[in-house]
Amino acid sequence: MNLQEICQQTVEVAKEAGAFIAQESAKFNRNSVEYKDVNNVVSYVDKETEKIIVSRLREILPEAGFITEEGTADSSDLEGLNWIIDPLDGTANFIHGLPNYSVSLALARGKDVLVGVVYNVCTKEVFSATKGGGAFRNGEKIQVSPIKHLGESLLATGFPYYKFENQDKYLLILESLMQKTHGLRRMGSAAIDLAYTACGYFDGFYEYNLNSWDMAAGILLVTEAGGFATDFSGGDNHLFGGDVVVGSAVHTELLAEIQRYWAI
């Protein structure tokens, strides 16, 4: 399997999907918004973009299964070879006209991510990585921030917008990190947060209540750029476990701070 070739083909798929999203954004009507759950929104753009992506990726690797956000393709064995797809990461941003959303595509065998591509639709930045092959932004090699101490860091996170059972713990973590860092940002697209951590704009990122399609590509970007990725317990179940902590050398401090409150 030629991962470099597959990655380049995946980049082209992401760009095609991004072009469709950009085209639809100019005429999008918020009356077409649907609700999958409380505050969990979806639009026809998400669904149609996913159909385009699935069709193109099937041509690249017919033997691979799919793990998709909108369920337009049958899911396959989580331990097998799968495309993990978020056709529009940052849907709430998109429907409100906030220009920060992305396409996130990854190829994984079980929990082992082999190829990752994040395409920022609004800036047209292409982030790509292959396992063992490094991480890139618009074709230029990237690496995580050299910052080593939490007190010098700028972090990204995501706020709970549904499933609020851990909100109190989250707010304790947020309160602590607000006082111990240069600040926190909430961009509204976990895939972009991870990509921006990979290229050193952010020194770390954490969030819970995520799905594999939110973070598969971004996690590979971070680790191939020299960073670290774990779940909140410090283990390796982040891809399918729902929570993730990534970062440069601040990862150890950031994880310790999260664990102070998450275990309460």
Side-chain angles (χ1 to χ4, degrees):
M1 186 182 294
N2 187 329
L3 295 183
Q4 296 292 342
E5 182 179 340
I6 291 171
C7 185
Q8 186 53 50
Q9 292 173 305
T10 306
V11 165
E12 295 308 312
V13 173
K15 286 182 176 179
E16 181 180 347
F20 174 75
I21 293 168
Q23 169 190 298
E24 295 304 307
S25 71
K27 56 184 179 181
F28 184 73
N29 186 332
R30 285 177 60 181
N31 290 330
S32 66
V33 171
E34 302 171 27
Y35 286 82
K36 294 188 284 187
D37 200 344
V38 177
N39 296 332
N40 192 3
V41 290
V42 67
S43 74
Y44 76 90
V45 180
D46 300 69
K47 297 176 181 179
E48 292 304 314
T49 304
E50 187 170 287
K51 291 176 184 177
I52 292 169
I53 292 168
V54 167
S55 174
R56 300 297 184 268
L57 293 181
R58 276 204 174 109
E59 298 172 0
I60 297 173
L61 276 179
E63 68 270 29
F66 291 92
I67 300 171
T68 67
E69 178 168 16
E70 306 309 335
T72 62
D74 292 337
S75 296
S76 64
D77 180 6
L78 293 184
E79 298 302 316
L81 184 67
N82 291 297
W83 291 107
I84 305 179
I85 300 169
D86 193 335
L88 178 49
D89 190 55
T91 299
N93 285 353
F94 174 82
I95 66 172
H96 286 275
L98 181 63
N100 194 71
Y101 37 87
S102 64
V103 178
S104 179
L105 309 177
L107 179 68
R109 190 179 299 280
K111 295 192 295 185
D112 189 19
V113 184
L114 305 175
V115 173
V117 172
V118 173
Y119 180 62
N120 187 323
V121 177
C122 302
T123 65
K124 299 186 178 180
E125 292 170 291
V126 177
F127 297 89
S128 61
T130 56
K131 186 176 181 181
F136 300 84
R137 174 186 173 272
N138 295 338
E140 298 292 326
K141 194 170 178 62
I142 55 176
Q143 62 183 25
V144 294
S145 160
I147 295 298
K148 296 181 179 179
H149 302 292
L150 194 62
E152 301 172 0
S153 69
L154 181 67
L155 304 178
T157 188
F159 301 151
Y161 61 94
Y162 75 114
K163 295 184 180 178
F164 295 103
E165 60 270 16
N166 288 311
Q167 180 175 288
D168 290 346
K169 295 178 183 180
Y170 175 85
L171 291 175
L172 289 172
I173 295 168
L174 186 64
E175 180 181 12
S176 177
L177 290 173
M178 286 171 63
Q179 300 174 57
K180 295 180 178 178
T181 68
H182 283 179
L184 294 98
R185 302 292 182 265
R186 203 286 198 200
M187 304 287 284
S189 167
I192 291 177
D193 290 336
L194 287 158
Y196 282 5
T197 302
C199 66
Y201 299 160
F202 296 127
D203 305 295
F205 165 76
Y206 70 96
E207 190 170 350
Y208 73 96
N209 280 346
L210 289 178
N211 293 289
S212 58
W213 47 77
D214 299 308
M215 53 179 159
I219 287 171
L220 185 65
L221 288 169
V222 171
T223 55
E224 285 297 324
F228 304 92
T230 67
D231 55 33
F232 278 16
S233 69
D236 66 352
N237 194 37
H238 40 285
L239 185 59
F240 296 118
D243 50 71
V244 68
V245 187
V246 305
S248 57
V250 306
H251 178 271
T252 300
E253 277 189 87
L254 175 58
L255 178 61
E257 198 64 28
I258 290 168
Q259 290 178 337
R260 283 182 61 194
Y261 300 102
W262 197 250
I264 293 175

